[in-house]
Structures are given as C-alpha cells and as structure tokens.
Amino acid sequence: MGGFGWKLHGDGKHLRPGEVVKPGERLTWGRTAGLGAQHVVSMIGACFVAPVLMGLDPNLALMASGVATILFLLLTRGRIPSYLGSSLSFVGVSAVIAGQGGDLGTLTGAMLVVGASLAACGIVIQILGARIIHAVLPPAVTGAVVMLIGFNLAPVTAKTYWPQDQWTALATMLATGLALVVLRGFWSRIAIFLGLVFGYALSWVLDRTAGKIHSADGSGKVVDHWRIDFSGVANADWIGVPTFHAPNFSASAILVALPVLVALIAENAGHVKAVGEMTGDPLDDKMGMAIVADGAATMLSTAVGGPATTTYAENIGVMAATRVYSTAAYWAAAGFALLFGLCPKFGAVVAAIPGGVLGGITVILYGMIGLLGAQIWVRNKVDFAQPLNLVPAAAGIVVGIGGVSLKFTDNFELSGIALGTLIVLTGYHALRWLSRAAGTQQPPLLDGGTTEYDEGARSSG
C-alpha cells in the first residue's frame, strides 16, 4: 500500500456493530474527513497545552504536528495509524532549563538532541529486530508503561480541566458515554467530537442563562469568569504564519533532557504495541521505524522552534472508541492541522474550548488509554500471581501516576512517566536476574493466601 490506495470498506457508509475499519481501508471521503477532524479535536487540547506551558507558539505546534504525522505515515508506510502531537514529557524539563537561565532556543536545542538520540535508538531496533524490544519490554512491562502513560494524565483532568466547571464536565462525560454506547453507524464513530460539540454548546447556553461561573480559570485562580472567552477569537487574524526560532545547544540543558529518552522509547513501543493489539496486525517489524519516525519528526519540529513530538495516546483512545483504524483519517487530520496552523483565528477558537468540556472528554479518553495497558496484560496472559510481574509493575504505576519524584541534584530530578518507567524496567530485569542467580522459586503473592483459605474452608465444610 505504501500508505496510499485505501480500499473502500463495504459501501463506505454503513458499519455493523463491532465492525472495524482496518488501516488500509477507508470510509467515504466525507466521512474520512469527519474522522480526521475528530482526531484533530481530540488531540488539540494537549497539543496546545504543551507548548503553552513551555512558552512555545501553539499554532506552530499544531502545524508541526501535521508535518510530523505525515512524516510518520510515510516512514511507516501506512501500517501504523497514529497521530504525532506535542510531547508533554518535556514540560518538567522546560521548567528546569528555564531555572538554569536557558531560553526557548536552549530548550528546543535540548529536545532536538533527544530527538536525534531517539531516531538513533530506532535505527538500532530496526536493524536488530523487535526481539530487542521484547527482551527489554516484555508484556508485563509494556502493559504497565501504557497504563501509567494513560493514568498519568488523570491529574490534568482532575486539577486543570474539571474544576473549571464540574457540572458541564459531568454532563459532557455522560453525553459522550451515551453517544459511544447508544449511537450506531457513523455517528457512533464520531461520538468524541459530538461530546465536545455538546459541551461547547452547553457552555454557551449557560453563559447566557446563568451568567458567569465562580470557579478556577485556566490558570487555576478562582474567579468569576465566562465559560467561553471569545475575546481571543475576535482579535486573532484569519491567516498568519507561526513564530519560528532557531535552537541553540547547552550541555547542561541536554543532560537534563536526555533521561526523557527512556520514557519516549517505552512510550512509543507501548503505543505501537497498543495499536497492534487493537488492529490485530503485529507491528514488530515496524517498531524501530516508528521510533525513527518520531525522533525525526521531533528533530524537524524543534529545528524551527516547535515542541518535541510523540505518538498521541489521545488519538489511540479515539480509535479504541470508534474502531476506525484507517490511516486515511490521519492524513485528513494532518491536512487539517497544517491548514489550521496557518489560521490564528482557528487556534483562538480551539483555545476557547471550555476547560469543563475538556474535563468531561478526557475522563473517558485517558481512562481508555490506561485500560489498554490492562488489555495487553490480558491478551498476553501476564500472571500477576508471580512476584516478578507484580512488584515492578505495582511500584512503577504508583510512582508514575502519583507524581513521585526522585531528586539527584538541585537541577536534576526524575518524576512521573520517566521515573515510573525506569522503576518498571530496572525493577523487572534486576529482579529477574537476581531470581535466576539465586535459583529461587517464589510462591504466588496475590492468590497464595486466598487459595490456602479456600482449601481450609473446604476441608472444614
């Protein structure tokens, strides 16, 4: 296929319940464009939030995400349906670099080096084969990494989006869930988008009937504010070029950013594994190339002042909900992102999506992402009665989700996904080696006591 020449799925209009659209298939072009728009809407919140938190141009981030997605689809030859958006893994790094006196050029330079390192690792993986990923990232580890990636996003919903308008968030969540479960055909496939439209409309109505809301705004400050602020839309131009800047390189900043590489490799591998599980197409032969593509896309984006990119869990969540895996939808999404990146007014409209609406949507999406990790465990029959599987995963997930940090120096610490991933990886392999070296055979941790209790109950009965 080479990424083009999609086969029309059935008549391209009607889908039976439970039916899936494969990466090499598509619906009608109108429906495909609609699905592409849904992918853009689903990733737009995080794609805008990441650069805003790092002080980068969000319109450039949106444009870069479109270019990055096209590059990814070309390099993987259309086998892996995925969207590349702004990486949130570097938000903490940006704060440290800024604290060291670095500017935006220093930040993008450090991210560019990490992107180059990621591409180099992908080349090694592509040459040696996916077995090196299986050796380093067995199902017990990849499931844990995917889970903590999804659930690590939960505080974004709980602390940033939901408090801005809890009742609209709840209504949006219920409407989206209802659409996912009740609607049929094409409408069920765009349920996430419909949920956003519902929440946006509800917020507009509440602004005009109930007036301002007293709650946290986007900055977290509790004030009286409108749910939807269109002032930025009115002041924005229809057509405009994003702000570019060149990177510069600092050894200290690069050292701060490099540990994120571990999380990015695991994140990419976990996402590819998740997509492979969803589509039923083993993607081991494209694992290395997917990582190369992400690294190359990061280099391209940061070279002009944009953020690092990564495969987006939000869009994997959309695929899990819609069961449409067509790469044609991602080409459409990339095209929309490129066009919208040249339209500051569109960026302003997207930025005006109420936080409460995003709260309701992300509750479902982030939960779906996390549970994909559990799906990897189930399908690979990972036995958590065995301490080797249980202990590293349990520790890593709690550390990653809970935001535990490990401080090494005043300017360097690990936390979140990076630290959780390291604990799962090093914990699993260290315990595996020690167990073999010691020749120990440990009894199950979880069901041992239960089994003994059940046996005692049966004998006494």
Side-chain angles (χ1 to χ4, degrees):
M1 179 180 62
F4 299 96
W6 300 274
K7 178 183 177 183
L8 189 67
H9 181 89
D11 64 359
K13 299 178 180 178
H14 303 98
L15 296 171
R16 293 186 296 272
E19 195 172 7
V20 303
V21 179
K22 297 178 180 180
E25 299 177 330
R26 66 171 177 84
L27 301 176
T28 60
W29 284 116
R31 287 169 170 77
T32 297
L35 288 164
Q38 177 174 256
H39 277 297
V40 171
V41 170
S42 297
M43 66 85 191
I44 207 75
C47 198
F48 267 81
V49 167
V52 167
L53 291 176
M54 292 187 285
L56 301 172
D57 185 348
N59 267 78
L60 176 57
L62 185 58
M63 181 184 292
S65 75
V67 175
T69 300
I70 290 172
L71 180 62
F72 183 90
L73 293 172
L74 289 173
L75 290 179
T76 58
R77 298 186 63 79
R79 283 271 308 279
I80 306 175
S82 238
Y83 194 93
L84 268 63
S86 306
S87 175
L88 285 162
S89 298
F90 291 92
V91 171
V93 169
S94 68
V96 175
I97 292 175
Q100 293 177 343
D103 58 13
L104 293 180
T106 307
L107 170 62
T108 52
M111 291 192 293
L112 192 154
V113 172
V114 174
S117 302
L118 183 63
C121 290
I123 292 172
V124 172
I125 293 169
Q126 190 66 23
I127 293 173
L128 296 181
R131 63 182 180 275
I132 190 172
I133 290 290
H134 292 308
V136 178
L137 298 169
V141 173
T142 54
V145 172
V146 172
M147 181 169 285
L148 70 87
I149 287 171
F151 292 158
N152 181 260
L153 297 169
V156 177
T157 295
K159 296 179 180 179
T160 302
Y161 296 140
W162 193 280
Q164 295 183 40
D165 189 350
Q166 60 177 359
W167 297 114
T168 296
L170 180 62
T172 302
M173 180 191 74
L174 293 175
T176 304
L178 185 67
L180 285 167
V181 174
V182 174
L183 296 181
R184 292 290 181 267
F186 175 72
W187 295 108
S188 69
R189 310 289 166 143
I190 61 169
I192 304 296
F193 179 74
L194 294 177
L196 280 170
V197 172
F198 168 84
Y200 213 131
L202 177 61
S203 297
W204 184 85
V205 170
L206 289 174
D207 273 347
R208 276 143 188 81
T209 56
K212 292 183 177 181
I213 184 173
H214 184 74
S215 68
D217 59 11
S219 66
K221 184 178 179 180
V222 178
V223 295
D224 290 327
H225 64 95
W226 297 109
R227 296 166 182 80
I228 305 177
D229 182 5
F230 284 125
S231 61
V233 178
N235 297 328
D237 295 328
W238 281 102
I239 299 176
V241 178
T243 303
F244 299 97
H245 71 257
N248 55 67
F249 303 96
S250 163
S252 61
I254 291 170
L255 288 175
V256 169
L258 272 176
V260 177
L261 179 65
V262 176
L264 292 178
I265 293 174
E267 184 178 30
N268 274 276
H271 285 177
V272 172
K273 282 280 189 181
V275 172
E277 292 281 342
M278 292 163 63
T279 61
D281 177 21
L283 297 171
D284 290 351
D285 59 323
K286 287 294 182 183
M287 184 80 74
M289 189 51 63
I291 294 174
V292 170
D294 188 12
T298 291
M299 294 172 65
L300 186 61
S301 174
T302 54
V304 296
T309 62
T310 188
T311 50
Y312 249 34
E314 285 86 344
N315 298 91
I316 293 176
V318 170
M319 287 194 296
T322 64
R323 298 176 67 82
V324 175
Y325 310 124
S326 172
T327 54
Y330 282 100
W331 276 93
F336 283 130
L338 283 171
L339 291 175
F340 295 151
L342 292 170
C343 179
K345 193 170 287 291
F346 171 79
V349 170
V350 172
I353 293 176
V357 177
L358 292 176
I361 292 294
T362 54
V363 162
I364 294 176
L365 283 183
Y366 295 169
M368 284 181 171
I369 297 159
L371 291 177
L372 284 175
Q375 185 180 47
I376 291 175
W377 288 336
V378 171
R379 290 193 176 182
N380 289 279
K381 300 179 180 178
V382 176
D383 184 6
F384 281 107
Q386 299 303 316
L388 177 60
N389 294 330
L390 174 65
V391 174
I397 289 172
V398 169
V399 166
I401 296 173
V404 175
S405 62
L406 193 62
K407 189 171 184 178
F408 294 89
T409 69
D410 290 338
N411 297 321
F412 176 64
E413 69 176 31
L414 288 175
S415 64
I417 294 175
L419 182 58
T421 297
L422 279 176
I423 288 176
V424 175
L425 278 171
T426 59
Y428 178 88
H429 291 291
L431 291 176
R432 186 169 181 265
W433 182 84
L434 289 171
S435 179
R436 288 185 174 184
T440 57
Q441 193 72 23
Q442 296 181 341
L445 277 185
L446 287 182
D447 63 354
T450 304
T451 302
E452 291 168 5
Y453 176 84
D454 289 342
E455 288 175 353
R458 284 194 295 268
S459 62
S460 64

